[in-house]
Amino acid sequence: MPNRLASATSPYLRQHADNPVAWWEWEDGAFEAAAARDVPVILSVGYATCHWCHVMAHESFEDEKTAAFMNEHFVSIKVDREERPDVDRVYMDAVTAMTGHGGWPMTVFLTPDRRPIHAGTYYPKVASAHHPSFMQILEAVAQAWAHNRGGVDDQADHITKLISSRRSTDPRVPNLTDIEQAINGVYAVFDWEGGGIGRAPKFPQAPTLELLMRMAALRPHTRAGERSLLMLTTMLGAMDIGGIHDHLLGGFARYSVDATWTIPHFEKMLYDNALLARVYLRTWQLTGNERFKEVAVDVLTYLDTTLADEGGAIHSGEDADSEGHEGKFAVWGWDEFNDVLGDDTPLAAAIYGVTESGNFEGSNNLTRRTTLGDIGTTFDMSADEVAAAKTRIDDRLREVRLRRVPPSRDDKIVAAWNGLAVRAFAEAAAVLDERRWLDRAISIATFLTTVASPDGRLRRSWRDTPGHPAFAEDHGAVAVGLYSLYQVTGDERWFNEAERHVSELRGAFADPEGGWFATRGDASDLPTRPKNTQDNPAPSDNSIAAEALLIHAALTGDLAAVDEVERAVAALGTDALRHPAFFGHALAVWLTHLAGTKEVAITGPDSGDLTDVIWDRFRPDAVVALGREAASSVPLLEGRWMDEPTAYVCQNLVCDLPVHTRESLRDLLAGTG
C-alpha cells in the first residue's frame, strides 16, 4: 500500500511521507477505499511544529509492526490542522466530548461515512497505569469493528449527534456592566505570583490581553479598567522576562510548561507573535513603559526576518525540536556558555539566570528576572557599562546559536494569520513612523490579494501551490488587516479588497441564527458544519468576523452589519460572560462598540498632522477614513473633500463640525471638543 504524502503541500504531511503507514490525505478516495475494504478509518491530525506529534510519529508511525497493523485493519488519513481547521474543529469536538479535553496529535477513529467511533490525542507506544498503548487502542477498535458492528454504529451515531447539536445558551447581548463583571471574574483567578491567567501549562492568551487592553483604554477610571491595566502590565512583564521570550533571536514560544513562564514548549507560531507584537506596542502607548515598545519591535523583527517568505508573506512557525531534541537550538549547557563568554560568564549568568545545574534537563533556557540596574549594583558597574557588556554578550551568544542546526520551519502561508500580521505591521508603521513595517504590511497584503487569491478567491493556505478555499476565519482576519492598512495608508485598494471579504462572510458563511459558520455553505465533506466561537489561542471566526463587520459599518454607515454583529454576540449567550478568558476578542470587540465607535474622516491636502493624531495613542474606538483625493469610493468620505486639512468626527451617523488642527481633533476624540 503506497504512502501518498510525498506530493502534499503541507510540511507536516511531508514529514510523514517516508512512514511505512499507507497514509492518505483527506480526500473522498480514502473513504471510498475504507468502504470497499469494509474497514474503519484512522484520522491523525497535527501540525509541523508540534513536539508530541513528532514523538508519536517516531514511536508508532515509523514502527514497522504498528504500521503493518494499521495498513491491514484501517485506512489511515493524515491532516494538517492548519490547512484544514474545519476537519480539526469537527473532530476535536468529538475528542472533547469523549475525553473531556483536547490537543495534538489528535487521533480519531471513523466509520467510512466519516462518523467518529473513538477519539483521543497522543497515545504512547508503551502502556502505563493511566494510558493504554497505541497498539492496544488499534486492536480494540479493530476487534469492535469486526465483532460488535452494531455497538460501533450506535456509538458513532451518538457522538455525531453530540457534535452536530449547537450548545444551548441563553441568548443575551452583554452590556458594559456585564463585561466589567467578566473582567472582575478574570481578576479573581489571576495568578499574581507567576503573572498570568491560570496555572501550568500557561498560554499567552492574546485575545484576553486584547480585552484587558481595550478596557484599560476605554474605561480607565472604572474599577474594571484599573484592574485590567494591572493584569495586562503584570502579564506582559512576566512573559517578557520569562523563558517563553527568546531573548536572543526574538519572538515568543507558544506556551510555558510551568506557571512562571520559565520553560516554554519551544515552538513559535505566527499567530501568537502577530497578536503579541500589537498588544505590546499598544500597551506601551497606554503606559509609556519603553520596555513594551522594545519587545514589540523585537517580535516584529523576528517575523520580518526569521519567518519571512521571499514572496512577501510570513511563514506559519518554527519547530520546538532541533536535531531530534526539544529546545536544543535555544538552551545552553554551563560548559558551552563559559567557553563562549570567558571572563564575561559571571555577568552573563547574572543577566540571564544561567547556573551550572541549569533549569531545563541540565541545560539553561535564558530568562531576564534580574534588572540591569541590580546587576550593575552587584558588579559595581554603571548602567552604561552593563548595557555595553550585555550587547557584547548578546552578539557572541547569537553568533553561536546561528551556527547551530536550526529547528525546521513550517513554511506554508496561512491567510488568517497573515491577516493578523498585516494589522500588526500596519499599526506599528503608523505608531512608530517606521517605513520598514509599512513595507512588510504592504508585501503581505499584496501576496494575499494576488498569489493567495487565484481567480480572485482567497485560499486558506499556500505552499508552492494554492491550498483549500478560505474559511470564515481567513476572510475575517484578512479583512481586518486590510482595513488597518487602508487606515494607515489611505490607499483605497485595501478598503475595496477588505469590503470584498466582508461580502464573502455575509454571503457564504452566515448562520441565520446569528454568527458565522467556519465553512462555506457549499462545503460537503464533513458530517456537520462547524462553527468556531472560542477565542483560544487566536480570535475565533466569529469574533474576527464581527470586528470586520463593525469596521465596515463605521466606514460605510451600513447599520444592518451592526445588527448582524449583535445577533452574533447574542448567540454566544452567557458563555462569554461566564468564561471570558475563552471569549476575550469577542468581548473586546463588543466593548468597543458599546463604548461608542468614532467614525473619523480626514481629508484635504497635507493632512498628515491630523492623521498622526489617530495613532499618537491607543484609540480602539476610532475608525478613520483617509481622503487623499476629492473622489473617493469610501462612503464616510463622500462629499467631504476640503482644500485644507480637515477632520470630521462622527458617531452613529451624526457628525461634529469639521476641525482643522491637531488640538481640536484630539479634543473631539476625547469628547471634550
Side-chain angles (χ1 to χ4, degrees), residues 555-632:
L555 293 171
T556 65
D558 180 2
L559 296 182
V562 178
D563 292 338
E564 292 169 39
V565 173
E566 183 169 334
R567 287 198 301 275
V569 173
L572 299 178
T574 56
D575 289 340
L577 299 175
R578 290 176 182 146
H579 309 288
F582 292 97
F583 297 89
H585 197 83
L587 291 174
V589 168
W590 193 242
L591 167 67
T592 306
H593 172 71
L594 293 176
T597 300
K598 297 177 177 66
E599 305 113 12
V600 185
I602 297 178
T603 71
D606 302 319
S607 56
D609 281 352
L610 292 176
T611 303
D612 289 345
V613 172
I614 301 298
W615 304 105
D616 66 6
R617 55 172 293 183
F618 179 43
R619 305 180 190 276
D621 55 343
V623 176
V624 61
L626 302 181
R628 304 301 194 197
E629 299 176 354
S632 173

Side-chain angles (χ1 to χ4, degrees), residues 26 148 160 174 350 454 511 643 666 670:
W26 181 271
N148 187 20
T160 301
D511 179 355
D643 291 329
R666 282 199 187 93

